[in-house]
Amino acid sequence: MCPLELVRLSALMQYSQGRPEIAVALIDGAVALNHPDLKGADIRELPGNLRGTCVRTDTAACTHATLVAGVLVARRGSVAPAICPRCTLLLRPIFAEIADGNGQMPGATAGELAEAIIDSVDSGAAVINLSSALVQPSPKGESKLQEALNYAAHHAAIIVAAAGNQGSVGGSAITRHPWVIPVAACDGQGRPLNESNLGSSIGRRGLSAPGKGITILGTDGKPQTFGGTSAAAPFVTGAIALLLSEFPGAAPAQIKLAATEAVATKRGTITPPLLDAWAAYQVMTLAHHGRKVT
């Protein structure tokens, strides 16, 4: 099944392409901003130690960030999902452009992630996409990360985080935080991928989204396919950005609740239910207009 159809995003995308007032922060690598399918997007670089534009397009950091950017803000009609092309994309790179073509989820320290989260919140991000693995865990670093996640919650910046691709059962300082929406990856039938991390906090508060064979923007200008939770997370991020765009007066916590609870599946396992973007839109329409859309 088409990834967008699987999570019922296609119907919501007919109503909205997003709004420039909704800023989506991408905490990742640099992006190939010269890609033809990204040229019409409103993409802004946040100050930091790393550039937001790729210097080398053959690195894992550039490839990884460009694929996520394409899922979110590529032009409609491109090979990428292009969920919310009229939203503003804020780039806050944390992955250096070093040669590493293994395609695995890049990693960052807890301190680096914490700093990037705070910068994104202070820059007005309404929703933050984290497709990063934690490396070099330490009590001090995780304490800073906890503070940054609390800061995002206090400022109502919704955080969507990839669950990770180690095929393990458990969680991290990110996925365990109550404000974070952890995202597991599934195949075209909605079944969890073997490599996707699962766990009690992921199953209880998270969502599943397509993460197998996703067509994305290649940094060489040619379409590529990609998978894993890094590819799955922006489907949830994009859906939330569209909901924020369609219901600008709604509290972010209400949008978050609609996205995570408007699913038919009961929670109670380590596997989260599948994102249902259209059901979330119906919940919000009923709450704000007293009716559902058929």
Side-chain angles (χ1 to χ4, degrees):
M1 181 181 289
C2 166
L4 292 173
E5 293 289 346
L6 181 66
V7 292
R8 299 218 289 173
L9 257 167
S10 297
L12 179 55
M13 289 166 62
Q14 292 179 10
Y15 279 82
S16 177
Q17 294 196 35
R19 295 161 60 99
E21 306 95 283
I22 304 302
V24 179
L26 178 56
I27 298 178
D28 211 287
V31 172
L33 296 180
N34 61 346
H35 195 289
D37 289 330
L38 290 175
K39 283 190 174 179
D42 185 359
I43 302 178
R44 306 176 188 178
E45 297 181 38
L46 301 185
N49 296 328
L50 301 174
R51 291 184 50 178
T53 305
C54 295
V55 176
R56 292 181 52 188
T57 58
D58 62 341
T59 63
C62 179
T63 300
H64 193 272
T66 302
L67 84 88
V68 179
V71 174
L72 292 169
V73 298
R75 65 172 180 83
R76 289 279 173 88
S78 72
V79 297
I83 297 169
C84 52
R86 290 186 181 168
C87 291
T88 298
L89 189 68
L90 306 177
L91 301 183
R92 180 49 169 85
I94 55 173
F95 307 140
E97 292 183 83
I98 57 175
D100 181 7
N102 63 12
Q104 296 299 311
M105 178 188 291
T109 66
E112 289 169 335
L113 276 174
E115 184 179 352
I117 290 168
I118 291 172
D119 287 347
S120 299
V121 173
D122 288 345
S123 297
V127 56
I128 299 171
N129 191 93
L130 292 178
S131 291
S132 167
L134 275 179
V135 298
Q136 301 174 10
S138 68
K140 183 178 179 180
E142 293 201 1
S143 175
K144 288 183 178 179
L145 181 56
Q146 184 80 13
E147 291 173 4
L149 295 171
N150 291 341
Y151 186 77
H154 179 73
H155 289 81
I158 299 171
I159 295 182
V160 178
N165 303 318
Q166 290 75 42
S168 64
V169 175
S172 69
I174 299 173
T175 60
R176 287 191 295 266
H177 194 280
W179 182 246
V180 172
I181 303 175
V183 182
C186 66
D187 63 16
Q189 286 72 48
R191 299 170 301 204
L193 300 185
N194 291 335
E195 63 267 30
S196 179
N197 291 353
L198 302 172
S200 59
S201 59
I202 298 168
R204 188 168 61 251
R205 292 191 304 273
L207 291 166
S208 294
K212 183 176 182 180
I214 307 302
T215 302
I216 50 97
L217 304 182
T219 54
D220 59 358
K222 299 176 182 178
Q224 298 180 14
T225 58
F226 198 83
T229 59
S230 289
F235 280 89
V236 177
T237 300
I240 289 174
L242 290 185
L243 293 170
L244 288 166
S245 298
E246 286 296 289
F247 302 95
Q254 185 183 17
I255 297 284
K256 179 176 178 288
L257 185 65
T260 54
E261 297 301 325
V263 291
T265 306
K266 290 185 178 180
R267 295 181 182 268
T269 71
I270 60 173
T271 304
L274 192 64
L275 167 69
D276 190 333
W278 185 244
Y281 178 74
Q282 289 180 314
V283 167
M284 293 301 301
T285 301
L286 183 62
H288 283 256
H289 304 302
R291 58 180 176 83
K292 281 189 175 182
V293 179
T294 57

